[in-house]
Amino acid sequence: MADRKLTEAQRAYEAKRAAKAGMSLEKWLTEKEKRAAAEAKAAAEATKPAAEPKKPGFLSRLLEKAQKPL
């Protein structure tokens, strides 16, 4: 949000919200940007598919075969 320009109405609205929270406008906007980034990251993590189990390595497969009866 810091890189895009706010209109006067948006700036006034955000200033009211910042005053209600007891912060300066700039601090409010940076906090808001951090929260949005954290929510986006959490949403991306939630949609990420679960990792598939790893295929057993060569030595593990060899030891498993050795444990089986003839």
Side-chain angles (χ1 to χ4, degrees):
M1 218 177 188
D3 59 341
R4 80 174 228 234
K5 300 292 180 186
L6 297 175
T7 64
E8 282 299 315
Q10 289 172 328
R11 193 163 189 78
Y13 174 75
E14 293 297 341
K16 282 182 185 178
R17 292 183 68 191
K20 189 174 183 180
M23 298 182 189
S24 68
L25 179 60
E26 296 306 317
K27 186 176 178 184
W28 172 258
L29 291 176
T30 56
E31 289 293 320
K32 184 177 177 182
E33 189 174 323
K34 285 180 186 177
R35 282 193 308 267
E39 288 175 3
K41 185 177 179 182
E45 289 292 324
T47 59
K48 192 181 217 182
E52 294 182 22
K54 252 177 103 174
K55 181 179 172 183
F58 174 73
L59 191 57
S60 296
R61 292 190 312 249
L62 193 62
L63 287 172
E64 188 177 321
K65 282 186 179 182
Q67 296 295 321
K68 290 184 180 178
L70 297 174

